[in-house]
């Protein structure tokens, strides 16, 4: 057995893997820029080599369809699952965090949101969405972000039906005398210590893979192995980075390991992306035949993919 296979098996068995989460990772990474549709049988074939059976796939697809994340078309006895408008919208939002190459630039501007007149249930739901969009809670009714754009947030508030109940402010970085207090508040509000622990765990899990990829014998890095590695890489990285507030570097603690984790992910992804792309092309089938070729945005991931 190849050492790469041993690594793959260990990654699969290291923590319980949710079917809905894994298939969401697969759609976002391998299918969203290729039409977003696949035959159930193709999806089962792609995941079979990782030890996940058809029942695992069917259960996950049923749940994703019920949640409105996937739509299904039935042609004869075959079922084809594609990203719904909701699924595509959420996937696009996630891509901006997953595939960026570096921390966002910052001009010192903060976006502040003051919620008024919302019941507790609605407020909790809106806060959950805003936290996912890298907002932190400065006070019970006050949330802040140094990286979100007003237009994007207004669109989210309109979708949630609360735009008229949230007051938006723009503010600038505080005086120099407030920087130390601000950093302490940022670390607490965005729970950066917990985020750093998750990044360190990701690094510990995937750093041993790099020498295996460098030392792999000719022909050992097959398209199937590349796909397995890439899917697991993105699945585990996605679980961490989607919780990252992507704060400007000036606000991050000195011990922050987010950029090291991102660079590790980039280094591995660059080595396996071409093979993974070929394996998905070989195995995946849509309601009209072969998958389309990836769109241009696919090749811009992580600052630009370089295929040999």
């Amino acid at each position: 057995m190849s050492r790469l296979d041993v690594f793959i098996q260990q990654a699969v068995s290291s923590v319980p893997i949710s079917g809905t989460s894994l298939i969401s990772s697969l759609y976002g990474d391998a299918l969203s820029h290729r039409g977003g549709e696949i035959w159930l049988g193709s999806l089962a074939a792609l995941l079979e080599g990782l030890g996940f059976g058809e029942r695992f796939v069917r259960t996950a697809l049923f749940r994703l369809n019920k949640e409105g994340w996937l739509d299904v078309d039935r042609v004869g006895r075959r079922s084809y699952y594609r990203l719904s408008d909701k699924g595509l919208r959420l996937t696009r939002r996630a891509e901006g965090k997953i595939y960026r190459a570096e921390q966002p630039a910052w001009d010192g501007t903060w976006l502040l949101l003051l919620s008024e007149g919302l019941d507790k249930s609605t407020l909790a739901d809106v806060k959950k969405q805003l936290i996912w969009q890298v907002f932190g809670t400065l006070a019970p009714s006050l949330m802040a972000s140094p990286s979100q754009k007003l237009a994007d947030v207004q669109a989210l508030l309109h979708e949630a039906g609360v735009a008229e109940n949230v007051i938006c402010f723009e503010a600038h970085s505080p005086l120099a005398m407030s920087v130390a207090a601000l950093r302490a508040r940022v670390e607490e509000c965005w729970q950066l210590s917990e985020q750093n622990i998750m990044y360190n765990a990701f690094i510990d899990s995937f750093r041993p893979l790099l020498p295996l990829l460098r030392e792999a014998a000719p022909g050992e890095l097959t398209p199937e192995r590349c796909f397995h590695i890439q899917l697991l890489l993105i699945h585990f990285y996605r679980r961490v980075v989607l919780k990252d507030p992507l704060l400007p570097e000036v606000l991050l603690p000195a011990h922050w390991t987010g950029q090291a984790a991102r660079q590790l992910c980039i280094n591995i992804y660059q080595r396996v992306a071409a093979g993974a792309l070929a394996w998905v092309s070989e195995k995946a089938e849509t309601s009209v035949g072969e998958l389309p070729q990836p769109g241009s945005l696919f090749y811009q991931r992580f600052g630009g993919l370089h295929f040999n």
Side-chain angles (χ1 to χ4, degrees):
M1 180 182 290
S2 166
R3 289 190 297 167
L4 292 173
D5 292 330
V6 173
F7 177 89
I8 291 167
Q9 289 184 3
Q10 289 175 343
V12 170
S13 61
S14 62
V15 295
I17 292 182
S18 158
T20 54
S21 181
L22 183 66
I23 289 178
S24 296
S25 298
L26 193 156
Y27 267 89
D29 187 62
L31 301 175
S32 64
H33 286 288
R34 306 189 69 175
E37 180 191 78
I38 192 171
W39 172 43
L40 185 153
S42 297
L43 198 55
L46 285 170
L47 293 178
E48 182 181 16
L50 287 172
F52 299 108
E54 187 171 331
R55 182 178 179 182
F56 174 93
V57 174
R58 285 183 179 274
T59 301
L61 290 175
F62 173 80
R63 290 174 178 169
L64 289 168
N65 176 243
K66 189 175 182 180
E67 293 170 5
W69 205 82
L70 292 177
D71 291 330
V72 58
D73 287 328
R74 292 180 174 84
V75 182
R77 295 184 177 181
R78 289 189 168 193
S79 297
Y80 298 87
Y81 288 84
R82 69 178 183 279
L83 285 169
S84 64
D85 290 342
K86 172 186 175 179
L88 185 59
R89 184 172 66 252
L90 294 176
T91 296
R92 291 288 183 259
R93 284 180 183 171
E95 284 175 347
K97 297 186 74 172
I98 296 170
Y99 300 106
R100 70 170 63 245
E102 56 189 14
Q103 292 293 109
W106 189 47
D107 62 0
T109 301
W110 288 81
L111 184 59
L112 306 177
L113 303 181
L114 179 64
S115 57
E116 294 290 344
L118 295 178
D119 61 76
K120 289 185 178 180
S121 176
T122 302
L123 180 61
D125 184 59
V126 171
K127 277 189 172 183
K128 182 178 179 181
Q129 294 185 58
L130 289 171
I131 288 171
W132 196 80
Q133 291 293 316
V134 305
F135 276 83
T137 303
L138 295 183
S141 298
L142 182 64
M143 303 192 74
S145 171
S147 59
Q148 273 295 335
K149 302 300 181 185
L150 180 59
D152 294 336
V153 175
Q154 285 179 324
L156 185 152
L157 295 175
H158 278 290
E159 289 174 14
V162 299
E164 295 182 358
N165 301 98
V166 177
I167 303 171
C168 302
F169 300 92
E170 284 191 342
H172 291 281
S173 188
L175 300 175
M177 60 183 292
S178 303
V179 170
L182 176 61
R183 282 183 174 170
R185 186 67 175 148
V186 161
E187 185 154 4
E188 178 184 349
C189 289
W190 276 270
Q191 300 177 331
L192 296 185
S193 295
E194 294 179 21
Q195 183 72 35
N196 223 31
I197 290 172
M198 291 189 291
Y199 272 132
N200 284 328
F202 172 81
I203 292 171
D204 289 344
S205 295
F206 280 89
R207 185 160 45 196
L209 178 58
L210 268 180
L212 299 183
L213 293 173
R214 295 191 191 103
E215 298 163 8
E220 189 178 1
L221 203 56
T222 63
E224 182 177 15
R225 286 192 180 113
C226 286
F227 170 75
H228 291 163
I229 290 169
Q230 181 170 303
L231 176 58
L232 292 171
L233 173 76
I234 290 300
H235 178 65
F236 282 93
Y237 183 64
R238 173 178 173 267
R239 292 169 59 187
V240 180
V241 77
L242 289 185
K243 296 178 181 179
D244 187 341
L246 295 181
L247 297 172
E249 190 171 350
V250 67
L251 299 176
L252 293 171
H255 58 278
W256 187 249
T257 56
Q259 185 57 31
R262 181 179 293 112
Q263 191 58 54
L264 174 62
C265 184
I266 292 172
N267 291 342
I268 295 172
Y269 199 95
Q270 290 281 12
R271 288 178 176 270
V272 299
L277 186 68
W279 186 248
V280 173
S281 295
E282 179 181 335
K283 290 294 181 180
E285 183 179 339
T286 74
S287 57
V288 293
E290 296 180 357
L291 282 176
Q293 291 301 307
S296 60
L297 289 178
F298 170 81
Y299 294 98
Q300 296 174 26
R301 290 176 173 179
F302 294 123
L305 297 179
H306 310 293
F307 291 178
N308 295 327

